Amino acid sequence: MVKLGNIFLRYSVAIFLFRVIIWSSNNYKLMVMADVPAIFVFGDSTVDVGTNNHLAGSLATANNPYYGIDYPHHVATGRFSNGYNPADFIARHLGDYTESPPAFLALVQKQSTFKSGILRGVNFASAGSGILDDTGNKGFNLYNLGARKFGICGIPRIGCLPGIRAATPGGACNETLNGYAQIFFNTTLSLLQDFSSANPGMNFSLGNYFLMTTGVIDNPAASGFVEVEAACCGTGPYKGWFKCTENSDLCKKRDEYLFWDWFHPTQRASEMAALSLLYATGQEFVTPINFTTLANIQH
Ligand SMILES: *[C@@H]1O[C@H](CO)[C@@H](O)[C@H](O)[C@H]1NC(C)=O
Ligand SMILES: *[C@@H]1O[C@H](CO)[C@@H](O)[C@H](O)[C@H]1NC(C)=O
Ligand SMILES: *[C@@H]1O[C@H](CO)[C@@H](O)[C@H](O)[C@H]1NC(C)=O
Ligand SMILES: *[C@@H]1O[C@H](CO)[C@@H](O)[C@H](O)[C@H]1NC(C)=O
């Protein structure tokens, strides 16, 4: 993982390469449906819910229109989406949440509710984060502190992101990058298998974003998408030159687009991905168990 993190950072395709969602199982109560007591989210812009709004000088921000155009009250919250992101949908389906737990940096600003707030979970995701040599070994960052259930997602078909197509001759996908995404999945899976056999009591689900996005790109109509190459909001070819701003071209039918901006999925694509992670049967999209089964394990 450390090595892979390095590869990705070195080629720095984007900013947004790994996404990890983790929740702990302490005091887990079994209810009709999974009802997790707390969710802790780690990752990059795909699951950031406003962390970077609090980082002075950060350029990786999404707190301007048209971000949030489909979020309640049409506000830009810092999510890199027209509405919600996958962490929001996962939280909504796993328990009594309307969206992801708040960003840690938002929670600490309200000391009166900080302690009660963190008991339901925290979102630490920050756009632009990656796996570095000196942070990558902390993942099992977390087993030693008591985390037992790890829901992890691989990397999508990153060579086909609008921001990459815009930089590739002819608007083609960059297959080198797609190859890295597959290697990342395979290596992460072996690492998790080794770790869980050596550490009983730990369970994981690994989502295969690569296969999910490949399915949609190869056959958009099957899932109701019309445009799977260009972004909905942006500038330049494939609207892949720059982030979404108020001066960007904005598409009309956002639910028909796979990509919202140069690097991120639309709310609709995020919801579909979350539903696959949560409820997929079979091993194709999430392995060895889906997120619902993971949440329901009693330790
Ligand atoms: C694909 O991405 C790799 C890594 O960034 C880069 O070295 C290569 O030049 C790219 N290929 C094309 C065709 O753009
Ligand atoms: C990843 O693993 C699958 C299943 O074992 C295999 O078919 C595929 O070739 C592997 N891909 C890479 C890039 O290693
Ligand atoms: C959870 O992990 C344990 C080993 O840590 C394993 O024996 C068990 O089968 C896993 N549960 C599920 C539902 O996969
Ligand atoms: C999740 O996976 C289990 C085991 O494959 C399957 O029985 C179940 O239908 C899937 N969906 C949900 C919601 O648990």
Side-chain angles (χ1 to χ4, degrees):
M1 195 171 239
V2 172
K3 284 263 157 52
L4 277 169
N6 238 345
I7 290 173
F8 280 109
L9 286 172
R10 197 165 309 132
Y11 289 98
S12 81
V13 183
I15 349 196
F16 322 113
L17 290 171
F18 78 108
R19 38 217 85 187
V20 184
I21 295 169
I22 297 182
W23 62 87
S24 115
S25 66
N26 289 345
N27 308 317
Y28 174 69
K29 300 174 297 216
L30 184 69
M31 309 239 326
V32 178
M33 224 189 99
D35 183 19
V36 299
I39 298 177
F40 298 92
V41 182
F42 298 83
D44 60 16
S45 55
T46 12
V47 287
D48 185 334
V49 293
T51 298
N52 284 19
N53 298 348
H54 302 274
L55 301 182
S58 174
L59 297 178
T61 53
N63 54 353
N64 61 274
Y66 298 109
Y67 290 101
I69 189 169
D70 296 312
Y71 189 84
H73 310 293
H74 315 289
V75 290
T77 56
R79 287 169 173 78
F80 291 75
S81 169
N82 52 311
Y84 289 112
N85 71 31
D88 293 308
F89 289 112
I90 289 168
R92 270 156 71 164
H93 284 261
L94 285 180
D96 185 18
Y97 297 86
T98 53
E99 57 180 40
S100 161
F104 177 78
L105 294 180
L107 277 164
V108 286
Q109 299 209 329
K110 274 197 182 171
Q111 278 304 321
S112 56
T113 52
F114 178 66
K115 279 190 179 160
S116 58
I118 58 170
L119 296 177
R120 301 265 18 237
V122 178
N123 185 319
F124 294 100
S126 171
S129 61
I131 304 173
L132 299 165
D133 272 350
D134 49 355
T135 55
N137 64 356
K138 300 289 196 295
F140 298 122
N141 33 16
L142 291 165
Y143 178 84
N144 292 336
L145 292 172
R148 290 294 178 271
K149 299 184 184 185
F150 294 75
I152 299 179
C153 299
I155 293 170
R157 208 171 178 88
I158 42 171
C160 302
L161 298 175
I164 301 298
R165 281 189 193 268
T168 308
C173 296
N174 183 318
E175 296 305 339
T176 308
L177 298 179
N178 287 337
Y180 293 153
Q182 287 173 283
I183 295 168
F184 184 88
F185 181 89
N186 286 13
T187 309
T188 304
L189 181 58
S190 345
L191 187 135
L192 288 166
Q193 284 165 339
D194 291 349
F195 188 84
S196 66
S197 35
N199 295 278
M202 179 270 196
N203 288 93
F204 72 89
S205 298
L206 177 61
N208 196 332
Y209 272 174
F210 188 85
L211 281 186
M212 288 183 209
T213 47
T214 296
V216 170
I217 290 169
D218 290 350
N219 187 2
S223 37
F225 290 105
V226 174
E227 179 57 68
V228 295
E229 296 187 352
C232 171
C233 183
T235 313
Y238 301 90
K239 300 198 200 160
W241 271 355
F242 195 59
K243 68 183 256 186
C244 173
T245 73
E246 219 169 355
N247 299 321
S248 302
D249 289 332
L250 176 69
C251 74
K252 288 210 171 60
K253 298 183 175 172
R254 297 183 281 278
D255 285 353
E256 292 184 354
Y257 280 68
L258 172 59
F259 297 107
W260 160 245
D261 72 0
W262 58 343
F263 289 125
H264 305 97
T266 53
Q267 167 172 262
R268 176 152 181 272
S270 300
E271 180 171 25
M272 289 180 60
L275 293 176
S276 284
L277 295 170
L278 287 156
Y279 303 119
T281 51
Q283 301 273 309
E284 192 185 12
F285 292 143
V286 55
T287 190
I289 53 175
N290 56 38
F291 279 31
T292 312
T293 305
L294 178 70
N296 278 318
I297 293 171
Q298 290 192 8
H299 283 132

